[in-house]
Amino acid sequence: MFFERHEGGERAILVHLEGQDSEASEDPQEFQELAMSAGADMVAFFSVPSSRLTAKFLIGSGKVEELRDQVKAIEADLVIFNHTLTPSQERNLERAFECRVLDRTGLILDIFAQRARTHEGKLQVELAQLDHMSTRLVRGWTHLERQKGGIGLRGPGETQLETDRRLLRVRIRQIKQKLEKVRSQREQARRGRRRADIPSVSLVGYTNAGKSTLFNTLTTSEVYAADQLFATLDPTLRRLQLDDLGPIVLADTVGFIRHLPHKLVEAFRATLEESSNSDLLLHVIDAHEPERMAQIEQVQNVLKEIGAHELPMLEVYNKLDLLDGVEPQIQRDADGRPLRVWLSAREGRGLELLRQAVAELLGEDLFVATLQLPQRLGRLRAQFFALGAVQSEGHDEQGHSLLAVRIPRVELNRLVSREGLEPQTFIEQHTLQ
């Protein structure tokens, strides 16, 4: 990775702004979980009224002095703000505290740096880190901010700061080119799946809602799953067989969070496009979370940002094992279409209901009927069997095959067209009423 991480837990003071409007406010409990996920050892927690914000330090000068005394008294290594700091505010606070200062975006970036496993994931995290740090380079090179004149101070024409910025621009451009190649490869794979008429389903949701646990249970995979924020960064795809539908591709994706930094959305666009190109989204929701309505809203905001908010969606209320008196169930709308499924991924309860609901939503355009096929269409009969679309077979007095089939209509049209027949005419002439 481009940035080396500190070894072991760091003594950190957390600073939370309270009293902000609901749109800008952050959850203090979530903030503490983020800090713990990053490996910080929280030694103090400060709540600061947002009515006393300043441009220089973000917080008031009196609170800065109080925090400075606390940093020295408990020998803190780090002060983390549950808010976005400007580069100048970060520098001013570091001078005042004489220790490192991190804002919310930097904290999330650090967690992402720990979690990235694949080459693609590491590239995406590095791009977001470089983009974030490029505006903060001056912090490390204040003694070389400008070219100086005078004896012994004449430079070669480019300061260290300018050199670093130029090298950063080169590296950012290289990473973007590599990610564009990854994006192209993903699109090629998606086109292949579309040609094979294999539906794709993506798990989306707030971080730590249980997406990876559900993914592992459904597909018998071993994707890393843990009770922590951002346990999954790298997308994983697995083939899943549904009894009433056939094969689908299920994708596990990165979790969302309130005020997900825009730099991360941009850096992970290649990964998030897996969701925006799906046939169905499974929105996994922590049914035990008191703030679940706010989390649902945040997920919708990110989906809107990546252009996936209008895709068909099934809500999956997970963690029923933490609730009393709630049984696995499918809730439907007035037309009988599945709206949400209640289940427990950890205990495996309600998974069959989820499979049923997914099959119903993806199979709305299924062709279910009995076809009468003459012997001359024997090759077409064999293809129905090869796809597993035949439920049963009989024969009439003329020796025609009577096939009870269940198959996506697009797949039926493709098979019939390959035989040089007109799909609609074939269906009208060969379907038994």
Side-chain angles (χ1 to χ4, degrees), residues 15-22 24-26 46-55 58-60 63 81-83:
V15 181
H16 171 71
L17 300 184
E18 62 179 15
Q20 292 184 297
D21 61 82
S22 57
S25 64
E26 308 290 358
F46 278 80
S47 288
V48 181
S50 59
S51 57
R52 300 177 183 175
L53 302 185
T54 65
L58 180 67
I59 57 178
K63 188 60 72 173
F81 279 74
N82 193 20
H83 193 82

PDB file of all heavy atoms in Angstrom, residues 15-22 24-26 46-55 58-60 63 81-83:
ATOM      1  N   VAL A  15     -13.670  13.131  18.936  1.00  0.00           N
ATOM      2  CA  VAL A  15     -14.375  14.409  19.061  1.00  0.00           C
ATOM      3  C   VAL A  15     -15.617  14.358  18.171  1.00  0.00           C
ATOM      4  O   VAL A  15     -15.518  14.188  16.947  1.00  0.00           O
ATOM      5  CB  VAL A  15     -13.477  15.590  18.640  1.00  0.00           C
ATOM      6  CG1 VAL A  15     -14.234  16.911  18.814  1.00  0.00           C
ATOM      7  CG2 VAL A  15     -12.189  15.592  19.464  1.00  0.00           C
ATOM      8  N   HIS A  16     -16.782  14.504  18.788  1.00  0.00           N
ATOM      9  CA  HIS A  16     -18.058  14.427  18.075  1.00  0.00           C
ATOM     10  C   HIS A  16     -18.783  15.772  18.167  1.00  0.00           C
ATOM     11  O   HIS A  16     -18.854  16.376  19.234  1.00  0.00           O
ATOM     12  CB  HIS A  16     -18.926  13.323  18.684  1.00  0.00           C
ATOM     13  CG  HIS A  16     -20.325  13.304  18.175  1.00  0.00           C
ATOM     14  ND1 HIS A  16     -20.652  12.907  16.893  1.00  0.00           N
ATOM     15  CD2 HIS A  16     -21.497  13.637  18.782  1.00  0.00           C
ATOM     16  CE1 HIS A  16     -21.961  12.998  16.735  1.00  0.00           C
ATOM     17  NE2 HIS A  16     -22.494  13.433  17.862  1.00  0.00           N
ATOM     18  N   LEU A  17     -19.317  16.228  17.042  1.00  0.00           N
ATOM     19  CA  LEU A  17     -20.090  17.473  17.015  1.00  0.00           C
ATOM     20  C   LEU A  17     -21.555  17.148  17.246  1.00  0.00           C
ATOM     21  O   LEU A  17     -22.139  16.336  16.518  1.00  0.00           O
ATOM     22  CB  LEU A  17     -19.927  18.189  15.669  1.00  0.00           C
ATOM     23  CG  LEU A  17     -18.502  18.600  15.275  1.00  0.00           C
ATOM     24  CD1 LEU A  17     -18.527  19.371  13.973  1.00  0.00           C
ATOM     25  CD2 LEU A  17     -17.856  19.430  16.364  1.00  0.00           C
ATOM     26  N   GLU A  18     -22.156  17.763  18.247  1.00  0.00           N
ATOM     27  CA  GLU A  18     -23.567  17.499  18.542  1.00  0.00           C
ATOM     28  C   GLU A  18     -24.405  18.738  18.270  1.00  0.00           C
ATOM     29  O   GLU A  18     -23.897  19.865  18.187  1.00  0.00           O
ATOM     30  CB  GLU A  18     -23.730  17.081  20.001  1.00  0.00           C
ATOM     31  CG  GLU A  18     -23.301  18.144  21.002  1.00  0.00           C
ATOM     32  CD  GLU A  18     -23.493  17.699  22.440  1.00  0.00           C
ATOM     33  OE1 GLU A  18     -23.687  16.504  22.677  1.00  0.00           O
ATOM     34  OE2 GLU A  18     -23.453  18.580  23.311  1.00  0.00           O
ATOM     35  N   GLY A  19     -25.710  18.520  18.093  1.00  0.00           N
ATOM     36  CA  GLY A  19     -26.625  19.642  17.880  1.00  0.00           C
ATOM     37  C   GLY A  19     -26.716  20.102  16.448  1.00  0.00           C
ATOM     38  O   GLY A  19     -27.280  21.164  16.169  1.00  0.00           O
ATOM     39  N   GLN A  20     -26.145  19.294  15.491  1.00  0.00           N
ATOM     40  CA  GLN A  20     -26.265  19.673  14.083  1.00  0.00           C
ATOM     41  C   GLN A  20     -27.633  19.290  13.552  1.00  0.00           C
ATOM     42  O   GLN A  20     -28.371  18.512  14.165  1.00  0.00           O
ATOM     43  CB  GLN A  20     -25.187  18.976  13.258  1.00  0.00           C
ATOM     44  CG  GLN A  20     -23.767  19.464  13.549  1.00  0.00           C
ATOM     45  CD  GLN A  20     -22.779  18.793  12.616  1.00  0.00           C
ATOM     46  OE1 GLN A  20     -22.626  17.589  12.645  1.00  0.00           O
ATOM     47  NE2 GLN A  20     -22.141  19.582  11.798  1.00  0.00           N
ATOM     48  N   ASP A  21     -28.015  19.825  12.375  1.00  0.00           N
ATOM     49  CA  ASP A  21     -29.287  19.423  11.782  1.00  0.00           C
ATOM     50  C   ASP A  21     -29.176  17.958  11.362  1.00  0.00           C
ATOM     51  O   ASP A  21     -28.094  17.404  11.192  1.00  0.00           O
ATOM     52  CB  ASP A  21     -29.626  20.310  10.582  1.00  0.00           C
ATOM     53  CG  ASP A  21     -28.591  20.216   9.479  1.00  0.00           C
ATOM     54  OD1 ASP A  21     -28.667  19.267   8.688  1.00  0.00           O
ATOM     55  OD2 ASP A  21     -27.694  21.097   9.420  1.00  0.00           O
ATOM     56  N   SER A  22     -30.340  17.298  11.184  1.00  0.00           N
ATOM     57  CA  SER A  22     -30.371  15.859  10.948  1.00  0.00           C
ATOM     58  C   SER A  22     -29.631  15.451   9.688  1.00  0.00           C
ATOM     59  O   SER A  22     -29.105  14.347   9.590  1.00  0.00           O
ATOM     60  CB  SER A  22     -31.827  15.380  10.869  1.00  0.00           C
ATOM     61  OG  SER A  22     -32.523  16.091   9.860  1.00  0.00           O
ATOM     62  N   ALA A  24     -26.820  16.774   8.465  1.00  0.00           N
ATOM     63  CA  ALA A  24     -25.362  16.826   8.618  1.00  0.00           C
ATOM     64  C   ALA A  24     -24.863  16.035   9.819  1.00  0.00           C
ATOM     65  O   ALA A  24     -23.680  15.771   9.932  1.00  0.00           O
ATOM     66  CB  ALA A  24     -24.906  18.283   8.740  1.00  0.00           C
ATOM     67  N   SER A  25     -25.772  15.643  10.733  1.00  0.00           N
ATOM     68  CA  SER A  25     -25.336  15.009  11.974  1.00  0.00           C
ATOM     69  C   SER A  25     -24.821  13.593  11.729  1.00  0.00           C
ATOM     70  O   SER A  25     -25.206  12.931  10.777  1.00  0.00           O
ATOM     71  CB  SER A  25     -26.491  14.967  12.978  1.00  0.00           C
ATOM     72  OG  SER A  25     -27.536  14.150  12.490  1.00  0.00           O
ATOM     73  N   GLU A  26     -23.947  13.149  12.632  1.00  0.00           N
ATOM     74  CA  GLU A  26     -23.405  11.803  12.582  1.00  0.00           C
ATOM     75  C   GLU A  26     -23.819  11.055  13.844  1.00  0.00           C
ATOM     76  O   GLU A  26     -24.177  11.658  14.853  1.00  0.00           O
ATOM     77  CB  GLU A  26     -21.866  11.839  12.475  1.00  0.00           C
ATOM     78  CG  GLU A  26     -21.315  12.705  11.355  1.00  0.00           C
ATOM     79  CD  GLU A  26     -21.581  12.135   9.970  1.00  0.00           C
ATOM     80  OE1 GLU A  26     -22.168  11.031   9.886  1.00  0.00           O
ATOM     81  OE2 GLU A  26     -21.228  12.782   8.981  1.00  0.00           O
ATOM     82  N   PHE A  46     -15.149  13.318  23.447  1.00  0.00           N
ATOM     83  CA  PHE A  46     -15.612  14.687  23.669  1.00  0.00           C
ATOM     84  C   PHE A  46     -16.793  14.990  22.756  1.00  0.00           C
ATOM     85  O   PHE A  46     -16.749  14.718  21.556  1.00  0.00           O
ATOM     86  CB  PHE A  46     -14.492  15.688  23.359  1.00  0.00           C
ATOM     87  CG  PHE A  46     -13.508  15.879  24.481  1.00  0.00           C
ATOM     88  CD1 PHE A  46     -12.502  14.954  24.691  1.00  0.00           C
ATOM     89  CD2 PHE A  46     -13.587  16.978  25.324  1.00  0.00           C
ATOM     90  CE1 PHE A  46     -11.583  15.120  25.720  1.00  0.00           C
ATOM     91  CE2 PHE A  46     -12.684  17.151  26.351  1.00  0.00           C
ATOM     92  CZ  PHE A  46     -11.679  16.218  26.553  1.00  0.00           C
ATOM     93  N   SER A  47     -17.852  15.573  23.317  1.00  0.00           N
ATOM     94  CA  SER A  47     -18.969  16.093  22.524  1.00  0.00           C
ATOM     95  C   SER A  47     -18.871  17.609  22.514  1.00  0.00           C
ATOM     96  O   SER A  47     -18.811  18.235  23.580  1.00  0.00           O
ATOM     97  CB  SER A  47     -20.311  15.658  23.112  1.00  0.00           C
ATOM     98  OG  SER A  47     -20.527  14.277  22.898  1.00  0.00           O
ATOM     99  N   VAL A  48     -18.839  18.186  21.324  1.00  0.00           N
ATOM    100  CA  VAL A  48     -18.655  19.623  21.183  1.00  0.00           C
ATOM    101  C   VAL A  48     -19.909  20.230  20.565  1.00  0.00           C
ATOM    102  O   VAL A  48     -20.380  19.752  19.533  1.00  0.00           O
ATOM    103  CB  VAL A  48     -17.426  19.940  20.288  1.00  0.00           C
ATOM    104  CG1 VAL A  48     -17.223  21.434  20.157  1.00  0.00           C
ATOM    105  CG2 VAL A  48     -16.180  19.264  20.854  1.00  0.00           C
ATOM    106  N   PRO A  49     -20.477  21.294  21.156  1.00  0.00           N
ATOM    107  CA  PRO A  49     -21.658  21.942  20.557  1.00  0.00           C
ATOM    108  C   PRO A  49     -21.325  22.523  19.184  1.00  0.00           C
ATOM    109  O   PRO A  49     -20.316  23.202  19.014  1.00  0.00           O
ATOM    110  CB  PRO A  49     -22.003  23.054  21.559  1.00  0.00           C
ATOM    111  CG  PRO A  49     -21.298  22.675  22.826  1.00  0.00           C
ATOM    112  CD  PRO A  49     -20.078  21.915  22.423  1.00  0.00           C
ATOM    113  N   SER A  50     -22.165  22.229  18.198  1.00  0.00           N
ATOM    114  CA  SER A  50     -21.904  22.716  16.837  1.00  0.00           C
ATOM    115  C   SER A  50     -22.221  24.200  16.679  1.00  0.00           C
ATOM    116  O   SER A  50     -21.916  24.794  15.653  1.00  0.00           O
ATOM    117  CB  SER A  50     -22.729  21.911  15.829  1.00  0.00           C
ATOM    118  OG  SER A  50     -24.109  22.033  16.121  1.00  0.00           O
ATOM    119  N   SER A  51     -22.806  24.814  17.713  1.00  0.00           N
ATOM    120  CA  SER A  51     -23.141  26.244  17.630  1.00  0.00           C
ATOM    121  C   SER A  51     -21.898  27.126  17.750  1.00  0.00           C
ATOM    122  O   SER A  51     -21.948  28.325  17.486  1.00  0.00           O
ATOM    123  CB  SER A  51     -24.148  26.611  18.720  1.00  0.00           C
ATOM    124  OG  SER A  51     -23.628  26.265  20.003  1.00  0.00           O
ATOM    125  N   ARG A  52     -20.767  26.541  18.174  1.00  0.00           N
ATOM    126  CA  ARG A  52     -19.557  27.335  18.397  1.00  0.00           C
ATOM    127  C   ARG A  52     -18.442  26.976  17.411  1.00  0.00           C
ATOM    128  O   ARG A  52     -17.271  26.946  17.754  1.00  0.00           O
ATOM    129  CB  ARG A  52     -19.053  27.120  19.819  1.00  0.00           C
ATOM    130  CG  ARG A  52     -20.077  27.523  20.880  1.00  0.00           C
ATOM    131  CD  ARG A  52     -19.569  27.217  22.275  1.00  0.00           C
ATOM    132  NE  ARG A  52     -20.571  27.530  23.289  1.00  0.00           N
ATOM    133  CZ  ARG A  52     -20.411  27.265  24.583  1.00  0.00           C
ATOM    134  NH1 ARG A  52     -19.298  26.674  25.004  1.00  0.00           N
ATOM    135  NH2 ARG A  52     -21.361  27.578  25.449  1.00  0.00           N
ATOM    136  N   LEU A  53     -18.800  26.668  16.186  1.00  0.00           N
ATOM    137  CA  LEU A  53     -17.813  26.280  15.183  1.00  0.00           C
ATOM    138  C   LEU A  53     -17.034  27.490  14.677  1.00  0.00           C
ATOM    139  O   LEU A  53     -17.577  28.590  14.563  1.00  0.00           O
ATOM    140  CB  LEU A  53     -18.503  25.575  14.007  1.00  0.00           C
ATOM    141  CG  LEU A  53     -19.313  24.319  14.348  1.00  0.00           C
ATOM    142  CD1 LEU A  53     -19.832  23.669  13.084  1.00  0.00           C
ATOM    143  CD2 LEU A  53     -18.482  23.330  15.151  1.00  0.00           C
ATOM    144  N   THR A  54     -15.755  27.265  14.369  1.00  0.00           N
ATOM    145  CA  THR A  54     -14.908  28.332  13.830  1.00  0.00           C
ATOM    146  C   THR A  54     -14.237  27.857  12.550  1.00  0.00           C
ATOM    147  O   THR A  54     -14.110  26.652  12.310  1.00  0.00           O
ATOM    148  CB  THR A  54     -13.813  28.720  14.855  1.00  0.00           C
ATOM    149  OG1 THR A  54     -12.927  27.603  15.047  1.00  0.00           O
ATOM    150  CG2 THR A  54     -14.421  29.117  16.191  1.00  0.00           C
ATOM    151  N   ALA A  55     -13.792  28.819  11.743  1.00  0.00           N
ATOM    152  CA  ALA A  55     -13.141  28.479  10.475  1.00  0.00           C
ATOM    153  C   ALA A  55     -11.726  27.958  10.697  1.00  0.00           C
ATOM    154  O   ALA A  55     -11.238  27.119   9.940  1.00  0.00           O
ATOM    155  CB  ALA A  55     -13.105  29.702   9.562  1.00  0.00           C
ATOM    156  N   LEU A  58     -12.395  24.593  13.449  1.00  0.00           N
ATOM    157  CA  LEU A  58     -13.719  23.972  13.428  1.00  0.00           C
ATOM    158  C   LEU A  58     -14.385  24.126  14.790  1.00  0.00           C
ATOM    159  O   LEU A  58     -15.510  24.598  14.874  1.00  0.00           O
ATOM    160  CB  LEU A  58     -13.659  22.478  13.034  1.00  0.00           C
ATOM    161  CG  LEU A  58     -15.016  21.772  12.983  1.00  0.00           C
ATOM    162  CD1 LEU A  58     -15.861  22.332  11.842  1.00  0.00           C
ATOM    163  CD2 LEU A  58     -14.872  20.268  12.817  1.00  0.00           C
ATOM    164  N   ILE A  59     -13.682  23.744  15.868  1.00  0.00           N
ATOM    165  CA  ILE A  59     -14.233  23.913  17.213  1.00  0.00           C
ATOM    166  C   ILE A  59     -13.683  25.209  17.823  1.00  0.00           C
ATOM    167  O   ILE A  59     -12.730  25.795  17.309  1.00  0.00           O
ATOM    168  CB  ILE A  59     -13.872  22.712  18.109  1.00  0.00           C
ATOM    169  CG1 ILE A  59     -12.352  22.529  18.176  1.00  0.00           C
ATOM    170  CG2 ILE A  59     -14.535  21.445  17.600  1.00  0.00           C
ATOM    171  CD1 ILE A  59     -11.908  21.391  19.066  1.00  0.00           C
ATOM    172  N   GLY A  60     -14.279  25.675  18.906  1.00  0.00           N
ATOM    173  CA  GLY A  60     -13.867  26.929  19.545  1.00  0.00           C
ATOM    174  C   GLY A  60     -12.483  26.833  20.174  1.00  0.00           C
ATOM    175  O   GLY A  60     -12.001  25.750  20.522  1.00  0.00           O
ATOM    176  N   LYS A  63     -12.242  25.076  23.595  1.00  0.00           N
ATOM    177  CA  LYS A  63     -12.291  23.618  23.501  1.00  0.00           C
ATOM    178  C   LYS A  63     -10.966  23.066  22.969  1.00  0.00           C
ATOM    179  O   LYS A  63     -10.537  21.970  23.363  1.00  0.00           O
ATOM    180  CB  LYS A  63     -13.454  23.189  22.598  1.00  0.00           C
ATOM    181  CG  LYS A  63     -13.721  21.700  22.592  1.00  0.00           C
ATOM    182  CD  LYS A  63     -14.076  21.150  23.959  1.00  0.00           C
ATOM    183  CE  LYS A  63     -15.455  21.566  24.404  1.00  0.00           C
ATOM    184  NZ  LYS A  63     -15.864  20.885  25.663  1.00  0.00           N
ATOM    185  N   PHE A  81     -11.815  13.320  14.498  1.00  0.00           N
ATOM    186  CA  PHE A  81     -13.038  14.127  14.448  1.00  0.00           C
ATOM    187  C   PHE A  81     -14.105  13.383  13.647  1.00  0.00           C
ATOM    188  O   PHE A  81     -13.826  12.859  12.566  1.00  0.00           O
ATOM    189  CB  PHE A  81     -12.760  15.483  13.797  1.00  0.00           C
ATOM    190  CG  PHE A  81     -12.145  16.495  14.730  1.00  0.00           C
ATOM    191  CD1 PHE A  81     -10.818  16.381  15.114  1.00  0.00           C
ATOM    192  CD2 PHE A  81     -12.894  17.552  15.225  1.00  0.00           C
ATOM    193  CE1 PHE A  81     -10.242  17.300  15.970  1.00  0.00           C
ATOM    194  CE2 PHE A  81     -12.329  18.486  16.088  1.00  0.00           C
ATOM    195  CZ  PHE A  81     -11.003  18.358  16.464  1.00  0.00           C
ATOM    196  N   ASN A  82     -15.308  13.355  14.172  1.00  0.00           N
ATOM    197  CA  ASN A  82     -16.436  12.738  13.476  1.00  0.00           C
ATOM    198  C   ASN A  82     -17.066  13.756  12.519  1.00  0.00           C
ATOM    199  O   ASN A  82     -18.269  13.999  12.540  1.00  0.00           O
ATOM    200  CB  ASN A  82     -17.484  12.251  14.489  1.00  0.00           C
ATOM    201  CG  ASN A  82     -18.502  11.328  13.850  1.00  0.00           C
ATOM    202  OD1 ASN A  82     -18.261  10.759  12.800  1.00  0.00           O
ATOM    203  ND2 ASN A  82     -19.654  11.196  14.488  1.00  0.00           N
ATOM    204  N   HIS A  83     -16.223  14.335  11.693  1.00  0.00           N
ATOM    205  CA  HIS A  83     -16.645  15.418  10.811  1.00  0.00           C
ATOM    206  C   HIS A  83     -15.557  15.586   9.751  1.00  0.00           C
ATOM    207  O   HIS A  83     -14.417  15.171   9.945  1.00  0.00           O
ATOM    208  CB  HIS A  83     -16.804  16.719  11.615  1.00  0.00           C
ATOM    209  CG  HIS A  83     -17.517  17.801  10.872  1.00  0.00           C
ATOM    210  ND1 HIS A  83     -18.887  17.857  10.785  1.00  0.00           N
ATOM    211  CD2 HIS A  83     -17.065  18.867  10.187  1.00  0.00           C
ATOM    212  CE1 HIS A  83     -19.241  18.924  10.077  1.00  0.00           C
ATOM    213  NE2 HIS A  83     -18.145  19.549   9.700  1.00  0.00           N
TER     214      HIS A  83
END
